[in-house]
Amino acid sequence: MQTLPTLFVSHGAPTFALDPGLAGANLAALGRRLPRPQAVLVVSPHWMTRQPQATLSLRPETIHDFGGFDPALYTLQYPAEGAHLAARRALELLQAAGLAAAPNVDRGLDHGAWVPLLHLYPQADIPVFQVSLPMWLDADGAYDYGRALAPLADEGVLIVGSGSLTHNLYEFRLGDPRAESYAAEFAHWVRDAVLAGDHSRLRQALAIAPHARRAHPTAEHYLPLLVAAGAAAQAVPASVIEGGIVHGVLSMDSFLFGAEFPARLGADANDALPN
């Protein structure tokens, strides 16, 4: 079976579901070109637990875990099936890595999962499950978490870390467009490390990248990038999925580890990405 690449997506604000912009268009193009997975695994900062859990729901509900937005957002559904067997395999891998991973039969899909999937796989015709993000993970731990899950990519599962390349909610609420320069500088630094295959720099980004503390006052929205990178290990090449900056401070760039994204959009939708 073909080894799938791994993906980090910036899911932005919940309004990304209604306003896809550049990031949504490029995720849609990517979804048309990726080899079709048997299941999608999403690790999101909107499900953090003391110990790892995996969703075993056969029909995971669409969780609207946000408030104060356009009422239209609360009507959206992502009716994908669950991925029971793949979720159990994820639990086996995490347990083999020494983690006390457990099933969760009730939880649905949080907006860190279903919002980007609306654009990546809009037909909701691929089974989806989530693995929680342990609240005690640091950067190296998140990378190792991805490495533990990596065998799934050989078994038809697309591993997706969903977070945000920059995530300062205070400045997001201020809506100050002058803040964009620092977000862009941090995003470009991370982009350079991704394209260079320098995973050591990625793991140190919150300590050494320019404006790191401002871009991420807390780490949880950056850690899914390290999960995706760890799941790919040193797989090359890596590609940037352009997303631009929205609301002045949210970089919407995403990264594909282990395959090249076609530079030109609008090509034959049946063209798959190379290995």
Side-chain angles (χ1 to χ4, degrees), residues 4 7 34 36-43 55 78 80-83 86-87 109 113 117 120-121 125-131 152 156-161:
L4 291 173
L7 178 63
L34 281 171
R36 183 176 174 85
Q38 295 183 12
V40 177
L41 158 60
V42 182
V43 177
T55 59
Y78 192 77
E81 294 183 357
L109 304 176
L117 289 178
L120 187 66
Y121 296 118
D125 56 353
I126 298 174
V128 180
F129 71 103
Q130 287 193 243
V131 169
L152 291 171
V157 177
L158 178 65
I159 300 171
V160 179

Side-chain angles (χ1 to χ4, degrees), residues 10-241:
S10 289
H11 62 247
T15 51
F16 183 37
L18 297 175
D19 185 15
L22 177 63
N26 279 342
L27 284 179
L30 177 65
R32 292 192 297 267
R33 291 161 173 78
L34 281 171
R36 183 176 174 85
Q38 295 183 12
V40 177
L41 158 60
V42 182
V43 177
S44 159
H46 298 288
W47 187 27
M48 300 184 71
T49 57
R50 292 182 64 85
Q51 296 296 334
Q53 297 183 28
T55 59
L56 267 63
S57 173
L58 296 179
R59 288 280 182 179
E61 67 172 317
T62 302
I63 304 174
H64 299 88
D65 50 343
F66 45 79
F69 290 93
D70 186 334
L73 278 172
Y74 303 92
T75 69
L76 295 178
Q77 298 291 316
Y78 192 77
E81 294 183 357
H84 184 270
L85 293 179
R88 288 201 174 278
R89 174 66 172 141
L91 291 173
E92 291 175 358
L93 291 170
L94 292 171
Q95 290 163 358
L99 299 171
N104 187 313
V105 298
D106 299 319
R107 196 176 190 280
L109 304 176
D110 63 58
H111 80 272
W114 66 263
V115 168
L117 289 178
L118 276 176
H119 307 301
L120 187 66
Y121 296 118
Q123 301 303 314
D125 56 353
I126 298 174
V128 180
F129 71 103
Q130 287 193 243
V131 169
S132 67
L133 189 68
M135 57 185 63
W136 42 263
L137 285 184
D138 59 10
D140 288 336
Y143 191 83
D144 290 342
Y145 199 59
R147 292 189 69 179
L149 294 167
L152 291 171
D154 296 323
E155 300 168 13
V157 177
L158 178 65
I159 300 171
V160 179
S162 177
S164 188
L165 190 51
T166 58
H167 191 257
N168 187 317
L169 288 183
Y170 175 74
E171 293 188 357
F172 166 73
R173 294 185 181 105
L174 287 179
D176 183 358
R178 293 172 298 178
E180 184 170 328
S181 60
Y182 91 82
E185 189 173 347
F186 177 85
H188 288 157
W189 189 96
V190 173
R191 174 193 297 224
D192 288 345
V194 167
L195 292 177
D198 193 338
H199 290 196
S200 177
R201 285 179 67 203
L202 287 179
R203 294 197 301 273
Q204 298 178 72
L206 296 186
I208 66 175
H211 314 293
R213 188 174 295 273
R214 189 176 177 188
H216 288 280
T218 55
E220 75 286 340
H221 274 72
Y222 183 79
L223 295 180
L225 189 160
L226 297 177
V227 174
Q234 296 301 319
V236 292
S239 304
V240 177
I241 315 301

